Amino acid sequence: MALIVQKFGGTSVGSIERIEQVAEKVKKHREAGDDLVVVLSAMSGETNRLIDLAKQITDQPVPRELDVIVSTGEQVTIALLTMALIKRGVPAVSYTGNQVRILTDSAHNKARILQIDDQKIRADLKEGRVVVVAGFQGVDEHGNITTLGRGGSDTTGVALAAALKADECQIYTDVDGVYTTDPRVVPQAQRLEKITFEEMLEMASLGSKVLQIRSVEFAGKYNVPLRVLHSFKEGPGTLITIDEEESMEQPIISGIAFNRDEAKLTIRGVPDTPGVAFKILGPISASNIEVDMIVQNVSHDNTTDFTFTVHRNEYEKAHSVLENTAREIGAREVIGDTKIAKVSIVGVGMRSHAGVASRMFEALAKESINIQMISTSEIKVSVVIEEKYLELAVRALHTAFELDAPARQGE
Amino acid sequence: MALIVQKFGGTSVGSIERIEQVAEKVKKHREAGDDLVVVLSAMSGETNRLIDLAKQITDQPVPRELDVIVSTGEQVTIALLTMALIKRGVPAVSYTGNQVRILTDSAHNKARILQIDDQKIRADLKEGRVVVVAGFQGVDEHGNITTLGRGGSDTTGVALAAALKADECQIYTDVDGVYTTDPRVVPQAQRLEKITFEEMLEMASLGSKVLQIRSVEFAGKYNVPLRVLHSFKEGPGTLITIDEEESMEQPIISGIAFNRDEAKLTIRGVPDTPGVAFKILGPISASNIEVDMIVQNVSHDNTTDFTFTVHRNEYEKAHSVLENTAREIGAREVIGDTKIAKVSIVGVGMRSHAGVASRMFEALAKESINIQMISTSEIKVSVVIEEKYLELAVRALHTAFELDAPARQGE
């Protein structure tokens, strides 16, 4: 008999009909013999409705009071699901974040979980009840209601699974698992049976929006096996776990991630003196602009070129900050490009395999795709290319690294 | 500097605009120097919307879970008002029933307040904050969310006023006070400056739906001065307080209450033996039917007639129960009438004045209104009459007891 934490998101509980479907699903699992803790989000749209109410009062709602309002969304769904379970003869009880109690710090709207008291839940499980917990919320040491920020319900699920030493934390979504890449771009993309936390982090932060990054970090830290499943379709989903099988045969690359959200900025002809990188990036970060890739080439005639990427929404702002910097440090010019895309190959397998990067570059060269920037990590190689080549690049890499679904290969 | 508890109902916080108006009102009071605790209901319609959601899952929602859902209504309004106050530069903080903490018994959906912890509120008041508390809800000793039942926000206000030994509990409504009778029936009806708890109880239970009966009982028990005021119009309202002025000149009758909700049942030719009243009313009460007036006349030929009133909705049910009883005890027949109305004169002054009842009967006789039943209490005389005479009776009594507004008298 396993202890499973199941988390259902906003669209999975977006209507009474869907809540009934979730109740059916939970009932089946319960009857199969597992102990279940179910974590829920608010009905889809509800959190926005509540924020809108607050925004009608003031553009800048007091964070403490905003949490008081917003936390009601999950409070409604947990009680509705509990009713639906009891109606089906499944003993169940609901708990708010305060009732559990999920202790957080006092950073309203973006609180972090400090501790979870598992006593109540354990007592209920022992009595045979399904325990339904409000995601996304907690309580600080002074009894103030807090929320974890958007997507926080995933984090609640993982934190509960860690506190209860659950066998698995199942995240139910609108996809049936994690894919080798976006199936809309590559029809031959395959669902992965397994992926490591590290790989998932790289996939998630690169734009595979299946799971919240924070919850994956959390799961990795506490070694909670995470499984991504479809809310309303049967299937094994994708298990995200630690890398136990380094010695066993596995693909070098698990997946190909990409995004189009970034823009590139280059400051050229920078006098190459110590501390110049800080002089360039200091003002950017002081303007609260997040920087992703950073590349500096070897210097040439005592000047160097310095390139980095930012979110496309912040391109204009970053450009004007950089213009100022260029004047101050005597750089030649600032150029930029918003029509770029980033493509990354991700896989723990590349640690032990040389030549992964060159195989990537070769595949792109074959399609005559020019590489503008390169950056690498232990389990990832990312390149920036012209946006119009994005789909072509992803498909070429998917084939080159033998990720295409066998049945469809060569279609 | 007084400590005032102000309670605003659902229509007073029924929209963002109204919440802003309430915030303005609270701000003015605060600036006048009083310490303020504000108790709020849910936005009008919200509680019904939440109950509807639950009813879509099941006709008989688990009471514990229904409370979890329904209590979110007030949680939203307290945060909205608090935001609106802070926006206006008025320091404020919101508390749910659990946060205060308003300890209740575990009777979900109709819990009773056992104790209120006033420490947090006192600390906030000391810091100059307006404290905004969710009405209608509390928490039981196990940390379960409870609600007090419909209209429970009035009770929360009074209980908080009692716990804090507040100088006054102000109930803001959609009327500007308690009237001598319903102004829609008697245009000359006057607003009362003052009324006693006992009188208010009689007026309220007889159909003047300004205040919840429970909150008036509560206020009387703890001697909390209650004031009924209009949410959005200026005016002194009506103060409900203990009867301190018995020696001072005051009208004999404070008001005239009435209702049309009742039906009358008579069982005739009942053998007049000891215990017969129980034999008749026992099965009625066992069927969960509430009985209001009961009249038994002196017996005649060893049989008697026994008459009582029930809510009109329960007339059919009561009639069939009574038919059974009649067969069992050998009574002659059961007759009934749903076209009746009850009219009552209420006033602590009648304690020391003889002849109040006869003055009432005289006024009705003058209009040729036949009296079908009579019942009396210390401060009330009630009669049942044919429904069609209701307005005529109320107007006649209003004039006979000199309650008509002087300015309009003789109009």
Side-chain angles (χ1 to χ4, degrees):
Chain A
M1 196 177 71
L3 170 54
I4 309 287
V5 175
Q6 303 188 317
K7 182 258 165 177
F8 292 89
T11 50
S12 306
V13 294
S15 67
I16 295 293
E17 293 68 37
R18 293 210 154 182
I19 289 172
E20 299 272 17
Q21 283 179 276
V22 169
E24 276 301 314
K25 196 158 190 121
V26 171
K27 185 189 179 193
K28 267 186 211 158
H29 276 110
R30 178 73 195 115
E31 284 170 354
D34 289 335
D35 279 343
L36 296 179
V37 175
V38 180
V39 176
L40 299 184
S41 302
M43 294 170 92
S44 51
E46 181 64 5
T47 303
N48 285 335
R49 186 186 75 87
L50 292 165
I51 291 174
D52 275 359
L53 272 179
K55 288 278 167 84
Q56 284 178 55
I57 298 273
T58 166
D59 284 342
Q60 303 200 307
V62 200
R64 180 192 185 277
E65 301 301 330
L66 190 60
D67 279 350
V68 171
I69 292 181
V70 168
S71 62
T72 63
E74 289 77 25
Q75 193 167 325
V76 169
T77 49
I78 55 171
L80 290 175
L81 180 67
T82 303
M83 287 174 182
L85 287 169
I86 292 173
K87 180 174 77 170
R88 286 169 171 77
V90 180
V93 63
S94 76
Y95 291 123
T96 63
N98 172 58
Q99 287 176 316
V100 166
R101 116 193 230 249
I102 297 178
L103 183 71
T104 71
D105 60 23
S106 300
H108 286 288
N109 311 165
K110 50 179 194 292
R112 293 198 162 251
I113 295 175
L114 301 177
Q115 202 186 312
I116 292 183
D117 182 358
D118 60 344
Q119 281 197 306
K120 258 189 188 170
I121 297 179
R122 285 201 189 279
D124 283 310
L125 292 175
K126 213 170 169 183
E127 299 285 327
R129 288 186 202 103
V130 171
V131 179
V132 184
V133 179
F136 175 66
Q137 57 181 254
V139 63
D140 75 4
E141 55 175 335
H142 308 293
N144 296 306
I145 296 168
T146 55
T147 66
L148 310 180
R150 284 290 167 126
S153 291
D154 285 2
T155 308
T156 303
V158 172
L160 274 168
L164 294 163
K165 297 184 180 54
D167 297 286
E168 201 170 283
C169 178
Q170 301 178 340
I171 308 283
Y172 288 85
T173 65
D174 54 0
V175 296
D176 65 353
V178 180
Y179 274 69
T180 48
T181 195
D182 188 337
R184 284 169 302 187
V185 171
V186 182
Q188 292 89 343
Q190 297 183 76
R191 183 179 52 76
L192 293 159
E193 286 292 327
K194 252 186 172 181
I195 184 172
T196 69
F197 293 116
E198 292 163 289
E199 289 169 331
M200 189 64 210
L201 277 178
E202 296 288 4
M203 295 290 276
S205 62
L206 290 166
S208 299
K209 299 196 182 86
V210 178
L211 284 173
Q212 285 293 315
I213 292 179
R214 257 173 79 188
S215 65
V216 179
E217 283 173 355
F218 213 148
K221 188 170 167 194
Y222 291 97
N223 194 15
V224 173
L226 262 185
R227 191 180 289 276
V228 174
L229 295 147
H230 196 287
S231 299
F232 304 114
K233 287 181 203 158
E234 293 300 315
T238 297
L239 181 65
I240 305 156
T241 182
I242 54 169
D243 181 21
E244 289 168 326
E245 305 171 12
E246 267 189 298
S247 59
M248 293 176 64
E249 190 141 13
Q250 60 181 346
I252 301 164
I253 296 302
S254 290
I256 295 168
F258 57 85
N259 85 51
R260 316 167 198 251
D261 296 337
E262 297 189 12
K264 185 180 75 166
L265 287 152
T266 302
I267 178 164
R268 299 182 68 177
V270 179
D272 193 6
T273 55
V276 73
F278 175 72
K279 277 187 194 147
I280 293 166
L281 289 181
I284 295 287
S285 120
S287 309
N288 276 318
I289 300 168
E290 280 198 36
V291 170
D292 178 25
M293 287 171 81
I294 304 171
V295 174
Q296 184 185 357
N297 252 344
V298 290
S299 79
H300 187 273
D301 291 341
N302 287 325
T303 68
T304 187
D305 298 344
F306 193 96
T307 302
F308 58 91
T309 62
V310 297
H311 195 281
R312 231 176 247 193
N313 294 342
E314 304 195 301
Y315 174 74
E316 298 297 337
K317 194 171 155 196
H319 199 285
S320 91
V321 172
L322 205 56
E323 289 278 9
N324 283 334
T325 307
R327 271 193 299 276
E328 278 170 27
I329 63 176
R332 193 162 65 245
E333 63 173 339
V334 173
I335 56 174
D337 188 355
T338 60
K339 298 218 177 311
I340 61 161
K342 184 163 77 166
V343 181
S344 308
I345 55 173
V346 175
V348 291
M350 71 173 70
R351 278 181 189 150
S352 49
H353 286 77
V356 170
S358 62
R359 188 157 153 196
M360 180 186 198
F361 305 152
E362 182 192 11
L364 296 175
K366 263 192 195 161
E367 304 292 344
S368 306
I369 299 169
N370 190 38
I371 297 171
Q372 302 182 1
M373 289 172 82
I374 300 172
S375 108
T376 60
S377 80
E378 275 265 285
I379 64 162
K380 180 191 71 176
V381 181
S382 301
V383 298
V384 167
I385 58 173
E386 227 182 310
E387 187 182 8
K388 66 179 178 185
Y389 293 122
L390 173 64
E391 290 83 358
L392 177 61
V394 172
R395 279 194 292 265
L397 292 170
H398 204 265
T399 304
F401 286 98
E402 296 165 9
L403 295 172
D404 295 348
R408 299 186 178 184
Q409 200 153 28
E411 266 184 352
Chain B
M1 197 177 69
L3 170 54
I4 309 288
V5 175
Q6 303 189 316
K7 182 258 164 178
F8 293 88
T11 50
S12 306
V13 293
S15 66
I16 294 295
E17 292 66 39
R18 294 209 154 183
I19 289 173
E20 300 271 19
Q21 283 179 277
V22 169
E24 276 299 312
K25 197 160 189 117
V26 171
K27 185 188 179 193
K28 267 186 208 156
H29 276 111
R30 179 71 194 115
E31 284 170 352
D34 289 335
D35 279 343
L36 296 180
V37 175
V38 180
V39 176
L40 298 185
S41 301
M43 295 170 92
S44 52
E46 181 64 5
T47 304
N48 285 335
R49 185 185 75 86
L50 293 165
I51 291 173
D52 275 0
L53 272 179
K55 288 278 167 82
Q56 284 179 57
I57 298 273
T58 167
D59 284 341
Q60 303 201 306
V62 201
R64 179 192 185 277
E65 302 301 330
L66 191 60
D67 279 350
V68 172
I69 292 182
V70 168
S71 62
T72 62
E74 290 75 25
Q75 193 168 324
V76 169
T77 48
I78 55 171
L80 291 175
L81 180 67
T82 303
M83 287 174 181
L85 287 169
I86 292 173
K87 180 174 77 171
R88 286 169 171 78
V90 180
V93 63
S94 76
Y95 290 122
T96 63
N98 172 60
Q99 288 176 317
V100 166
R101 111 192 234 251
I102 297 178
L103 183 71
T104 72
D105 60 23
S106 300
H108 286 288
N109 310 165
K110 50 179 193 293
R112 292 197 164 252
I113 296 175
L114 300 177
Q115 202 188 311
I116 293 182
D117 182 359
D118 60 344
Q119 281 197 304
K120 258 189 188 171
I121 297 179
R122 285 202 189 280
D124 283 311
L125 292 174
K126 212 170 169 183
E127 299 285 326
R129 288 184 200 104
V130 171
V131 179
V132 184
V133 179
F136 175 67
Q137 58 180 253
V139 64
D140 75 3
E141 56 175 334
H142 307 294
N144 295 307
I145 295 168
T146 55
T147 66
L148 309 180
R150 283 291 167 127
S153 291
D154 286 1
T155 308
T156 303
V158 173
L160 274 168
L164 294 162
K165 298 183 179 56
D167 296 285
E168 202 169 282
C169 178
Q170 302 177 340
I171 309 283
Y172 288 86
T173 66
D174 53 1
V175 296
D176 64 354
V178 180
Y179 273 69
T180 49
T181 195
D182 187 337
R184 283 168 303 185
V185 171
V186 183
Q188 294 88 345
Q190 298 183 76
R191 183 179 53 76
L192 293 159
E193 287 290 328
K194 253 186 172 182
I195 184 171
T196 70
F197 293 116
E198 290 163 289
E199 289 170 330
M200 189 63 211
L201 276 178
E202 296 288 5
M203 296 289 276
S205 62
L206 290 165
S208 299
K209 300 199 181 80
V210 178
L211 284 174
Q212 285 294 314
I213 293 180
R214 258 175 78 191
S215 65
V216 179
E217 283 172 355
F218 214 149
K221 187 171 167 191
Y222 291 97
N223 193 15
V224 174
L226 261 186
R227 192 180 289 277
V228 174
L229 294 148
H230 196 287
S231 298
F232 303 115
K233 288 181 204 157
E234 294 299 315
T238 297
L239 181 66
I240 305 157
T241 181
I242 54 169
D243 182 22
E244 289 167 326
E245 305 171 11
E246 269 189 296
S247 59
M248 292 176 65
E249 189 140 14
Q250 59 181 347
I252 302 165
I253 297 302
S254 289
I256 295 167
F258 57 86
N259 84 51
R260 316 167 199 251
D261 296 338
E262 297 190 13
K264 186 179 74 165
L265 287 151
T266 302
I267 178 164
R268 299 183 68 177
V270 179
D272 193 7
T273 54
V276 73
F278 175 71
K279 278 186 193 147
I280 293 166
L281 289 181
I284 296 287
S285 117
S287 309
N288 277 318
I289 299 169
E290 280 198 36
V291 170
D292 178 26
M293 287 171 80
I294 304 170
V295 173
Q296 183 185 358
N297 251 343
V298 290
S299 81
H300 187 272
D301 292 342
N302 287 325
T303 68
T304 187
D305 298 343
F306 193 96
T307 302
F308 58 91
T309 62
V310 297
H311 195 280
R312 231 176 248 193
N313 293 342
E314 304 196 300
Y315 174 73
E316 298 297 338
K317 195 171 156 197
H319 199 285
S320 91
V321 172
L322 206 55
E323 290 277 8
N324 282 335
T325 306
R327 270 192 299 277
E328 280 169 25
I329 63 175
R332 195 162 64 245
E333 63 174 338
V334 173
I335 57 173
D337 188 355
T338 59
K339 299 219 176 308
I340 59 161
K342 185 164 77 166
V343 180
S344 307
I345 55 173
V346 175
V348 291
M350 70 173 71
R351 280 180 187 148
S352 49
H353 285 77
V356 169
S358 63
R359 189 156 153 198
M360 180 186 197
F361 304 152
E362 183 192 11
L364 296 174
K366 262 194 197 161
E367 303 292 344
S368 305
I369 299 169
N370 190 38
I371 297 172
Q372 303 181 1
M373 291 173 82
I374 300 171
S375 108
T376 59
S377 80
E378 274 265 284
I379 64 162
K380 179 191 71 174
V381 180
S382 300
V383 298
V384 166
I385 59 174
E386 229 183 309
E387 186 182 7
K388 67 178 179 187
Y389 293 122
L390 173 63
E391 290 83 358
L392 177 60
V394 173
R395 279 193 292 266
L397 293 170
H398 204 264
T399 303
F401 285 99
E402 296 166 7
L403 295 171
D404 294 348
R408 298 185 180 183
Q409 200 152 27
E411 268 183 351

